Amino acid sequence: MSDVGWRYHPDYRAEHILLRILRAQELCIEHFERAFIGRALYSRYGGSKNAGILNYTRQLLSEERVHMADALGRALRLAYTLSGGDPQMLEVTVLKREEDCLVLQIPADAAVPPGQMIEKRLSSLASALNISRSDIRQV
């Protein structure tokens, strides 16, 4: 479900996805599960974490679950930026925590070299996980 919003306009994508998931009857899951998935995908599409629309999810999720959903969304955002939807790239990268640093290891011959966008996404994920630093290493 991490790419269900590709057809929506980028300026409104996060909000549309959240509302779509919250209202999706075909998902046969509980309300709090919909709120978790919706919030994760909202974060995946770069939605503002202080938007009023998130009040729906705050009513259904504990603070811990809110943080988990936000971190999952940011992890999905980083993964998609790295891979472009190709799982092979994810198979050759490593994401790990080293003390107070979130480290992303990318093969030196990777099709997607590290760049500013990947650094930004990694830093955002580290922040969501309450990790103070992030680093990209080519191995």
Side-chain angles (χ1 to χ4, degrees), residues 1 42 103 112 120 132:
M1 292 191 72
Y42 178 86
V103 177
V112 179
K120 180 180 174 182
S132 60

Side-chain angles (χ1 to χ4, degrees), residues 1-88:
M1 292 191 72
S2 71
D3 200 28
V4 296
W6 65 270
R7 67 176 161 235
Y8 296 117
H9 188 282
D11 291 348
Y12 309 104
R13 191 172 286 158
E15 185 174 318
H16 280 289
I17 290 302
L18 175 59
L19 292 174
R20 180 177 172 192
I21 298 299
L22 287 175
R23 296 173 179 158
Q25 295 303 311
E26 67 274 5
L27 285 179
C28 299
I29 57 177
E30 300 291 328
H31 294 304
F32 73 92
E33 294 167 317
R34 250 189 237 122
F36 182 87
I37 292 169
R39 182 150 188 146
L41 293 179
Y42 178 86
S43 181
R44 181 262 186 262
Y45 284 109
S48 170
K49 66 180 189 176
N50 297 320
I53 194 167
L54 293 176
N55 289 336
Y56 296 116
T57 63
R58 288 186 194 106
Q59 294 171 10
L60 296 168
L61 299 173
S62 68
E63 197 63 31
E64 180 183 3
R65 290 283 181 186
V66 164
H67 290 297
M68 287 175 62
D70 290 344
L72 175 59
R74 291 180 192 189
L76 289 169
R77 192 166 172 86
L78 171 62
Y80 201 83
T81 301
L82 271 172
S83 70
D86 180 8
Q88 290 179 333

